[in-house]
Amino acid sequence: MSTHKRHLSRRRLLAASAVGVAGTGAAVAAGSGLLSSASAAGFGHTDDGSNYVINTGASLVFKVSKSTGDLTSLVYRGKEYEGYGGKHSHVESGLGASTVTVKQSGSTILVKVVHGAITQGYAARSGQNNVYLWTNKADASFTATRFLVRLKPGLFPNEGSDSWIEASDKVIEAGDVWQRADGTTHSKHYSGKRVIDYDHIGFTTGSVGLWIVRSNHEKASGGPFYRSLLRHSNDKGAGLYEILHYNQAQTEKERFGLQGPYVLAFTDGGAPSSSLSAANLDTSWVDGLGITGWVGAAGRGKVAGVGIKGMDAKYPYTVGFANDDAQYWARAASGTGAFSCKGMLPGTYTLTVFKGELAVHTRSVTVQAGGATALNSITVTGDPSAAKTIWRLGDWDGTPGEFKNAELMTYAHPSDARAAKWTGNVTIGGGSEAASASFPAYMWNGVNDGILVYFKLTAAQAAAAHTLRIGVTDAFSNGRPRVTVNDWVSAIPAAPAQPSTRSLTTGSYRGNNRSFTYSVPSSAWKTDVSQYNVLKISIVSGSSGTAFLSPGTSFDCLDLLA
């Protein structure tokens, strides 16, 4: 049953790589931009009146506006790549009038842009086809924080879930979800990837590649499984995103401070060098640049754990660290559960062990600058799968992966022609895996409300009260499940805290994992054990909406305890 989920992210990674998205461990590509300084003839900066012009001394020349701090030109091998629709590349939708300065420190040129609460930095290294970027946001005066690289149309091929044709596709939701004549749906939201799944995102022609290598996201929000915009393309242009804070489907409050470096890298068509990834990047050259908020390696610490006991071998485990100021994560080794997380800012963190995406253990851990905190074996204590059940649909791992349409929903709209019908009742009988695959990953009270689950009990089981559990991963508009078992009706459960924005229609099932429990009395069951008991699930809410924007929820697991 859980094999489906275990292979889910692997299939996404394979599919994504075919359209120019690559993950951890990409091989160093020739022309990746890590060139010797000896080849950096022409390295330096000039002023053309409107822009600071930065020559990297390699094959890249870029410009930064002296008035707005926008990145206004990216010329690689003599060809312009930047800009579309009269707009340039920038933080958010552009900062507007800003104070912009430039300085050279040895083999590094640094451009500093100051606008209110945001300071943006660009750096060039002699002989490299890279632009290094930082964003420092001091408060919430900007509602979101992203850097958007705008690219001219037609330069790179991309025909996927994050591409659309404005001239012919039809808008079906909120101005940013599009439907093609064949019924497939497309949106900039449909990346199909979690933060933990990728190091870089980009486009390639086979001979030229343009990539954003993400930062470590220590000051971002949402944790390792957060999904957000990565790229888009249409007949008007293309875009690459580094999302530093985004309100869409957000589960955490915003963190402030310096984020970066993230890297805009040109290559000869291959993936960017793995040495540019956040895990491998040598940033010792940044220490002397005087960047406000910068903390070098000497001011950071490490946490290492010898292992995790009580793991389920069918699932990957991740160890997350979070406090008000920073977030980090590390993959746990299969078998042992050993983990190591380096480069952490000093402080006390909540350590969370995730089975799949479900938190199954938490504790506190303190990190000291220049130190390594060693942890003895951690024993998982909060896995709901350990309970004995009469039946179970799905499994407890924080995702709807075993359920109908689950995988498609990370890169398509629920109305997509490829989706199986959201309606249809489920009978629990010979195989729980088949029953799980028939149960919808999502339910809305305006689409498929009132799904029925049929099951039988033995005489001994029917003579006792039982607890029904329904785990959800997210909800829209306060949707939550109310149940009816035969003639018995549950109370309306309170709505748990969930993101207030769209999520179920924008490629994310990730919210706050919550479990609803219902104490079903023995009087509710059928006394004739040859008859099926009928569980009806309805979505209730104090809010309203229609179709796929009506109150709804996404499921993790449903089970009846023995």
Side-chain angles (χ1 to χ4, degrees):
M1 170 164 73
S2 54
T3 302
H4 175 77
K5 287 184 184 174
R6 184 159 51 96
H7 296 298
L8 194 57
S9 61
R10 184 181 305 167
R11 290 200 301 272
R12 290 180 190 144
L13 284 170
L14 291 173
S17 65
V19 293
V21 182
T24 306
V28 177
S32 63
L34 298 180
L35 305 180
S36 167
S37 295
S39 66
F43 177 71
H45 63 88
T46 58
D47 183 338
D48 70 2
S50 299
N51 307 277
Y52 291 120
V53 183
I54 315 299
N55 188 330
T56 64
S59 300
L60 173 64
V61 177
F62 65 92
K63 297 180 181 181
V64 179
S65 169
K66 293 168 57 181
S67 59
T68 66
D70 287 0
L71 187 62
T72 58
S73 176
L74 288 167
V75 175
Y76 179 65
R77 296 179 183 169
K79 184 174 182 177
E80 178 65 76
Y81 285 83
E82 198 280 330
Y84 69 80
K87 296 182 179 181
H88 291 295
S89 305
H90 42 223
V91 176
E92 266 307 283
S93 298
L95 297 177
S98 304
T99 301
V100 185
T101 57
V102 64
K103 70 175 182 179
Q104 182 169 340
S105 300
S107 60
T108 302
I109 297 170
L110 179 66
V111 179
K112 181 179 180 182
V113 182
V114 179
H115 177 94
I118 287 187
T119 300
Q120 178 67 28
Y122 305 90
R125 297 275 287 155
S126 180
Q128 297 185 13
N129 290 314
N130 306 321
V131 183
Y132 297 86
L133 302 98
W134 291 264
T135 304
N136 193 334
K137 181 178 177 181
D139 60 36
S141 54
F142 283 77
T143 58
T145 316
R146 65 179 185 183
F147 194 92
L148 171 57
V149 181
R150 299 181 186 270
L151 305 174
K152 292 181 178 299
L155 295 177
F156 294 101
N158 181 37
E159 179 52 42
S161 56
D162 53 14
S163 67
W164 63 94
I165 305 169
E166 291 196 19
S168 57
D169 292 350
K170 179 177 67 173
V171 175
I172 61 170
E173 183 179 299
D176 59 11
V177 181
W178 303 74
Q179 186 180 68
R180 198 149 293 172
D182 63 3
T184 60
T185 52
H186 302 259
S187 175
K188 62 185 179 181
H189 297 288
Y190 297 154
S191 68
K193 300 181 76 62
R194 309 169 303 172
V195 176
I196 195 173
D197 293 332
Y198 75 96
D199 282 334
H200 53 271
I201 190 81
F203 302 105
T204 181
T205 65
S207 59
V208 174
L210 178 55
W211 315 88
I212 281 186
V213 186
R214 71 165 176 85
S215 67
N216 66 357
H217 281 220
E218 70 180 1
K219 294 288 187 179
S221 302
F225 313 121
Y226 186 62
R227 298 175 188 269
S228 193
L229 316 184
L230 295 182
R231 66 178 193 176
H232 77 263
S233 65
N234 55 41
D235 41 332
K236 294 184 177 180
L240 293 175
Y241 299 87
E242 166 72 338
I243 297 295
L244 302 168
H245 178 78
Y246 202 55
N247 294 323
Q248 193 84 48
Q250 184 55 253
T251 59
E252 293 185 301
K253 67 180 183 179
E254 186 172 9
R255 296 179 173 93
F256 301 107
L258 183 69
Q259 300 201 58
Y262 46 105
V263 188
L264 181 61
F266 278 91
T267 75
D268 64 356
S273 168
S274 61
S275 63
L276 291 178
S277 71
N280 300 324
L281 185 63
D282 176 10
T283 57
S284 58
W285 57 273
V286 182
D287 292 350
L289 296 180
I291 296 176
T292 301
W294 176 254
V295 179
R300 296 173 177 270
K302 174 183 178 180
V303 175
V306 298
I308 301 172
K309 295 180 179 179
M311 295 193 304
D312 185 332
K314 298 188 296 295
Y315 294 96
Y317 282 71
T318 303
V319 181
F321 304 85
N323 61 23
D324 289 344
D325 297 319
Q327 62 169 9
Y328 306 94
W329 52 82
R331 297 182 187 271
S334 60
T336 66
F339 61 90
S340 178
C341 189
K342 63 181 182 179
M344 300 173 65
L345 293 172
T348 298
Y349 295 85
T350 297
L351 179 156
T352 303
V353 177
F354 294 95
K355 168 196 173 187
E357 296 184 15
L358 182 67
V360 293
H361 185 86
T362 61
R363 59 163 292 177
S364 179
V365 63
T366 299
V367 177
Q368 295 181 339
T373 302
L375 300 178
N376 295 325
S377 290
I378 295 172
T379 301
V380 169
T381 56
D383 187 351
S385 296
K388 293 183 179 180
T389 63
I390 296 172
W391 55 258
R392 177 172 288 161
L393 291 175
D395 200 5
W396 296 95
D397 73 343
T399 85
E402 291 100 357
F403 296 134
K404 182 167 61 178
N405 293 325
E407 183 173 4
L408 179 65
M409 289 303 95
T410 63
Y411 57 89
H413 190 269
S415 66
D416 194 283
R418 294 166 290 181
K421 288 184 178 180
W422 288 101
T423 54
N425 301 323
V426 176
T427 299
I428 298 175
S432 59
E433 186 171 344
S436 297
S438 299
F439 189 84
Y442 300 169
M443 282 181 63
W444 299 264
N445 67 15
V447 176
N448 57 345
D449 194 55
I451 294 288
L452 305 179
V453 178
Y454 297 90
F455 61 95
K456 291 182 179 180
L457 298 177
T458 66
Q461 291 167 343
H466 297 283
T467 297
L468 173 71
R469 301 187 300 183
I470 298 180
V472 303
T473 69
D474 196 6
F476 176 68
S477 198
N478 288 323
R480 66 267 195 196
R482 186 185 196 186
V483 302
T484 300
V485 178
N486 300 318
D487 294 325
W488 178 84
V489 182
S490 76
I492 297 176
Q498 295 288 7
S500 60
T501 60
R502 290 179 298 155
S503 54
L504 305 183
T505 60
T506 56
S508 179
Y509 56 76
R510 181 67 184 169
N512 294 308
N513 292 106
R514 293 291 183 266
S515 178
F516 296 91
T517 59
Y518 309 84
S519 298
V520 185
S522 59
S523 58
W525 311 121
K526 296 283 188 181
T527 55
D528 183 349
V529 296
S530 67
Q531 293 183 325
Y532 281 101
N533 291 275
V534 183
L535 165 66
K536 180 180 179 180
I537 303 169
S538 302
I539 302 300
V540 296
S541 172
S543 303
S544 61
T546 59
F548 296 109
L549 290 180
S550 63
T553 195
S554 51
F555 295 99
D556 177 13
C557 186
L558 300 85
D559 58 20
L560 185 65
L561 299 187

